[in-house]
Amino acid sequence: AYTANNETTPTLIGFTPNDIDSLHSNPAALNKAIAQLGSLVKALNGLMAFDRLSLGNLMNRALAIATSDERSDTTNGSVGEECNFLRFRLGQISEREPTVWFELLVASILSSTAEHDIRSLNPYLSSVAYKTVNSLTIVAMLASIRIGQSHRALAGLSHLVRLLKSVKSTNSPEVQKRLCQEIGLQSSKVAGDLTCERHFMKVTPQAVEFDPRFLVFEFTYSLMLRKSQVILVNKFLHALKSGKSMCHQMIMGAGKTTVVAPLLAMILADGKSLVTQVVPHALLDFSRGVMREKFSAVVRKPVFTFNFSRGTPITRDLYMKLCKARDSKAIICATPTSVKSFMLKFVEMMRHLERSKTGG
């Protein structure tokens, strides 16, 4: 609470509460505010154009090096080796040899054997060249995320300009009050979008340290994680490593279903643990749809539904399905009723086993 209360709130110049209240009575201030927003729109459009151009160049360069279309490493100069390389490149162009695509480069960042995986598709890719490809891929992802953030800021600015153009001295006091409130809220939102920071990166004099899973999540869904979301996910991960349970309550709109739950599922579904999302029955279809939407692009994960009742027979097939879900890094969606029925069925079977041993 102390940290939240002492955080600074960004504000657009010329959009303090006093400035907003004076817009109806000061046409010069209104025109100045509209002109200022026009300058911001022009600057953001220029930034987006630059980022789009940079993104295309970065992606093409990364793919060119990954497929050896562009080679910066030296060869031993033997004719036989060069012929083998040309034969391999011809096979790539004719689709008889495997090739790399950008989504694969992005997903490989999450792998602990990323270099081996990419170099297995191209035996002529050196270790130095792979590091260059990896760096280009990361910078391209950052550029893509900034394009999305700039687009959101532009949408907010367009809405703010429309509100300012609705300001007239002839408006009734009720309309003036409502417009001032809307302009204040919208200007705060735009200021937040323009000053948004990335909270999972640690900058040191030697390097920039970050968890690639957060970056891939941001890139895949074209968003920037809020500070509270990053802190919460790290708290859950720390509690898991410490072997502790954790419960956290979030308000509506904080990103429970669309951000925190999918991000935790992506991190925890590692083939060693079975990740289960338990939601009320009324939200099962929606939550399952969100999970399938999130894990159908760059990072792909199966999403299954666990339905169980006290009358459901316990078979080896059910156990094998759950093991298969765990091994394939799948996500299980279930309702509290199904989980409770499963636990009660377990207790019932334990009682039957105990009675069979004692002869009761």
Side-chain angles (χ1 to χ4, degrees), residues 70-220:
E70 175 184 330
R71 299 181 71 186
S72 58
D73 53 319
T74 58
T75 60
N76 56 15
S78 67
V79 177
E81 182 68 19
E82 190 65 22
C83 288
N84 290 334
F85 169 71
L86 293 175
R87 189 179 295 111
F88 173 76
R89 285 291 296 135
L90 183 61
Q92 284 185 321
I93 296 173
S94 61
E95 299 183 355
R96 296 180 64 88
E97 292 286 351
T99 188
V100 176
W101 59 99
F102 188 75
E103 289 79 4
L104 178 63
L105 294 177
V106 172
S108 68
I109 296 176
L110 303 176
S111 174
S112 58
T113 59
E115 181 174 351
H116 175 268
D117 296 339
I118 299 301
R119 294 182 66 186
S120 64
L121 298 176
N122 182 2
Y124 298 95
L125 182 68
S126 65
S127 180
V128 175
Y130 169 75
K131 292 179 180 178
T132 303
V133 170
N134 193 44
S135 298
L136 290 171
T137 302
I138 291 173
V139 177
M141 294 165 64
L142 293 172
S144 175
I145 296 168
R146 190 164 71 169
I147 290 172
Q149 187 66 17
S150 299
H151 188 272
R152 285 186 287 273
L154 280 172
L157 282 170
S158 298
H159 186 202
L160 185 55
V161 169
R162 288 195 298 270
L163 289 174
L164 289 178
K165 290 182 177 180
S166 301
V167 174
K168 299 177 182 178
S169 58
T170 56
N171 289 337
S172 64
E174 292 79 9
V175 174
Q176 291 183 11
K177 182 178 180 180
R178 176 179 59 81
L179 279 175
C180 288
Q181 291 176 345
E182 291 184 8
I183 291 172
L185 291 173
Q186 188 62 25
S187 63
S188 298
K189 180 181 181 299
V190 170
D193 289 337
L194 291 173
T195 59
C196 188
E197 300 178 3
R198 188 165 280 108
H199 300 284
F200 59 86
M201 286 190 168
K202 180 181 179 182
V203 180
T204 64
Q206 294 78 21
V208 178
E209 301 175 359
F210 64 94
D211 189 331
R213 297 171 294 188
F214 288 88
L215 180 61
V216 171
F217 189 86
E218 283 193 345
F219 168 77
T220 305

Side-chain angles (χ1 to χ4, degrees), residues 293-315:
E293 177 189 356
K294 296 295 185 183
F295 297 108
S296 61
V298 178
V299 180
R300 299 177 182 272
K301 290 181 181 293
V303 179
F304 301 125
T305 305
F306 179 70
N307 290 316
F308 195 89
S309 65
R310 294 288 297 276
T312 302
I314 300 296
T315 62

Side-chain angles (χ1 to χ4, degrees), residues 40-66:
L40 275 175
V41 169
K42 183 179 179 180
L44 280 176
N45 282 323
L47 177 64
M48 285 184 65
F50 174 80
D51 283 341
R52 286 195 176 103
L53 181 62
S54 299
L55 177 60
N57 292 335
L58 289 165
M59 292 174 62
N60 292 333
R61 183 85 189 281
L63 291 173
I65 298 176

Side-chain angles (χ1 to χ4, degrees), residues 276-285 287-288 304-309 332-343:
T276 305
Q277 182 186 30
V278 182
V279 296
H281 186 271
L283 298 177
L284 179 62
D285 291 339
S287 301
R288 180 176 54 203
F304 301 125
T305 305
F306 179 70
N307 290 316
F308 195 89
S309 65
I332 302 294
C333 294
T335 62
T337 303
S338 297
V339 175
K340 185 176 181 180
S341 299
F342 188 72
M343 294 176 64

